[in-house]
Amino acid sequence: MRTIIKVLFIISLIGCSQSSVSEIVMFSDSHGKYYRSDTVGGIIKNEYGLNENLSLILLATSNSDSEEFKSQLKIIKEIDAEEFQYLYVIANSDTLNKSGYYTSKIDAKNILGNTKFKIIIYDQHGDLVQSSSAVLEKKTILYYLTKSSSRHRKLHGLAQGCDHIRRYINFNILIPWVNEEIGVVLTRVRRLYALFFCTIFFFNINCFCKSNRAI
Amino acid sequence: MPDLLFDRNKKTLSWPLKKISWGALSGPFGAGALPPGIYDIARREITEYTNKVDLPYRDKSGMGFFVPIYPKFTTSRGKLGGRLGIHPDGNIPGTLGCIGITDANARSFHNAIKQTAPSIKLTLQVK
């Protein structure tokens, strides 16, 4: 019983990771070429002879005059795209913007869902790193852009799934008040918190299994 | 007819009248390659061929330049996040939307522009 629950837990972790990978967006560039968000990094890498795949920042809006969209775009343009090797895609459900990378209006509507604004960050391998319907600060975007590049040096599969959960725990459960400005020291503290949390979590599963077996 | 022609697919920048051609690219970073259309080349605003320009604007000889260009059509490009222009493609291959000359020595392009009288209006077609 205990083994079965552990296997189910591991499968659910992998499932969490895979579900984010499968969120593929189609878009085009000003050449008229079509790309999938999960393959664009590799295609452009080959086309331009780059050393690394590109990250992707997708900005979705229903109104490009909205303050949220304009302020997010301004923040993104302050981040050197050449240095951090990313491209950004505009998804506007109201009008098409053919001056750069863009999606169709229908795709933009699907991306937005019930929200009016969304920013999505994919890493170099097309995996979802962050999705937010609130404007992200420059430091937060930089964190996700640099975090995603180091993430793939780690093990794939389970490790990737754990990373999603660890990040979720770090940011949303354990210490949601943490500000990026505090830096590396706090990142280490958050890791310790996450490790502690996971240990307690597995301990609870073990206890649960043992109690089931006794019954 | 435009004086210079930039072909994004062939990755070439040419001056048909002078029968000169350079390897060049635009994008893919940021919002990607320059949108197609006609651009004015700001002949009077060009920098010298110098090592004083930033690293991304220098060729392999360590020297570089910046030749500003202005779109003759409505676009948000170049209004936010830096001017559009032609320069040697330094550091990481690719640009943020400018045209980057990939030839090891981009001096011949600078010379060709500089030898043109400032009063002459030069145009560029991107296709």
Side-chain angles (χ1 to χ4, degrees):
Chain A
M1 184 64 187
R2 189 171 61 178
T3 314
I4 291 169
I5 288 178
K6 277 186 178 173
V7 167
L8 284 175
F9 177 70
I10 289 167
I11 289 171
S12 71
L13 285 182
I14 295 166
C16 287
S17 171
Q18 290 306 314
S19 64
S20 66
V21 173
S22 65
E23 289 177 35
I24 294 164
V25 174
M26 291 292 296
F27 62 92
S28 10
D29 64 14
S30 51
H31 293 246
K33 286 182 187 170
Y34 280 86
Y35 298 96
R36 281 164 52 128
S37 56
D38 63 334
T39 54
V40 62
I43 293 169
I44 289 180
K45 178 194 168 196
N46 294 335
E47 201 172 309
Y48 282 83
L50 303 172
N51 291 328
E52 284 189 40
N53 287 7
L54 294 172
S55 304
L56 190 73
I57 298 177
L58 191 139
L59 265 184
T61 183
S62 55
N63 177 14
S64 54
D65 288 327
S66 76
E67 285 305 314
E68 280 174 319
F69 175 74
K70 284 199 285 190
S71 110
Q72 188 69 83
L73 192 59
K74 194 178 172 191
I75 289 168
I76 288 171
K77 287 187 174 180
E78 284 170 8
I79 301 169
D80 190 333
E82 203 171 336
E83 182 184 348
F84 291 95
Q85 305 226 24
Y86 73 87
L87 48 94
Y88 64 83
V89 177
I90 303 294
N92 191 334
S93 63
D94 198 28
T95 54
L96 280 181
N97 178 357
K98 292 191 175 185
S99 65
Y101 300 102
Y102 60 95
T103 71
S104 68
K105 290 183 191 178
I106 295 167
D107 283 341
K109 274 183 189 165
N110 290 336
I111 294 162
L112 282 166
N114 295 323
T115 58
K116 291 180 178 176
F117 166 82
K118 201 175 259 186
I119 174 169
I120 302 171
I121 301 173
Y122 296 91
D123 68 11
Q124 291 91 334
H125 297 263
D127 293 348
L128 181 69
V129 173
Q130 176 69 357
S131 175
S132 168
S133 51
V135 174
L136 296 181
E137 287 180 13
K138 184 179 173 183
K139 286 182 178 178
T140 311
I141 296 172
L142 280 173
Y143 169 79
Y144 286 122
L145 285 175
T146 50
K147 178 80 179 169
S148 63
S149 63
S150 63
R151 197 161 65 102
H152 271 274
R153 293 188 196 114
K154 298 176 186 172
L155 289 171
H156 286 269
L158 180 61
Q160 199 178 39
C162 286
D163 200 39
H164 277 280
I165 289 175
R166 183 180 58 76
R167 190 180 296 131
Y168 182 80
I169 290 165
N170 286 352
F171 271 92
N172 302 313
I173 298 175
L174 290 171
I175 37 175
W177 64 87
V178 164
N179 191 317
E180 288 300 317
E181 290 172 13
I182 297 171
V184 180
V185 175
L186 256 178
T187 305
R188 283 176 187 158
V189 173
R190 280 183 296 175
R191 280 180 186 157
L192 282 173
Y193 266 114
L195 186 67
F196 175 73
F197 183 86
C198 287
T199 311
I200 296 293
F201 188 71
F202 275 104
F203 178 75
N204 283 341
I205 284 179
N206 268 331
C207 289
F208 173 74
C209 293
K210 279 175 186 170
S211 62
N212 271 359
R213 194 167 46 189
I215 289 164
Chain B
M1 187 187 167
D3 304 282
L4 280 95
L5 182 68
F6 173 55
D7 190 320
R8 299 181 305 177
N9 291 322
K10 290 180 183 168
K11 292 190 170 66
T12 56
L13 175 66
S14 57
W15 198 325
L17 211 63
K18 290 182 183 261
K19 293 182 181 170
I20 322 175
S21 174
W22 302 268
L25 48 72
S26 181
F29 306 113
L34 270 180
I38 305 291
Y39 295 75
D40 276 332
I41 296 173
R43 164 65 186 87
R44 292 177 190 275
E45 296 174 36
I46 66 170
T47 67
E48 288 300 312
Y49 187 64
T50 170
N51 60 3
K52 301 281 192 297
V53 292
D54 289 340
L55 197 62
Y57 305 147
R58 293 187 215 163
D59 60 25
K60 282 178 182 165
S61 72
M63 307 278 275
F65 57 84
F66 190 83
V67 176
I69 57 172
Y70 297 99
K72 295 184 82 171
F73 52 93
T74 310
T75 176
S76 60
R77 303 289 288 276
K79 289 177 185 164
L80 190 66
R83 291 198 300 173
L84 297 174
I86 305 170
H87 57 78
D89 185 32
N91 66 1
I92 305 160
T95 71
L96 290 162
C98 290
I99 297 174
I101 296 174
T102 52
D103 292 0
N105 189 335
R107 183 170 209 146
S108 60
F109 177 80
H110 186 265
N111 287 345
I113 295 285
K114 203 174 178 187
Q115 282 160 11
T116 308
S119 56
I120 292 176
K121 281 193 173 181
L122 291 172
T123 53
L124 163 78
Q125 183 182 5
V126 175
K127 69 168 190 176

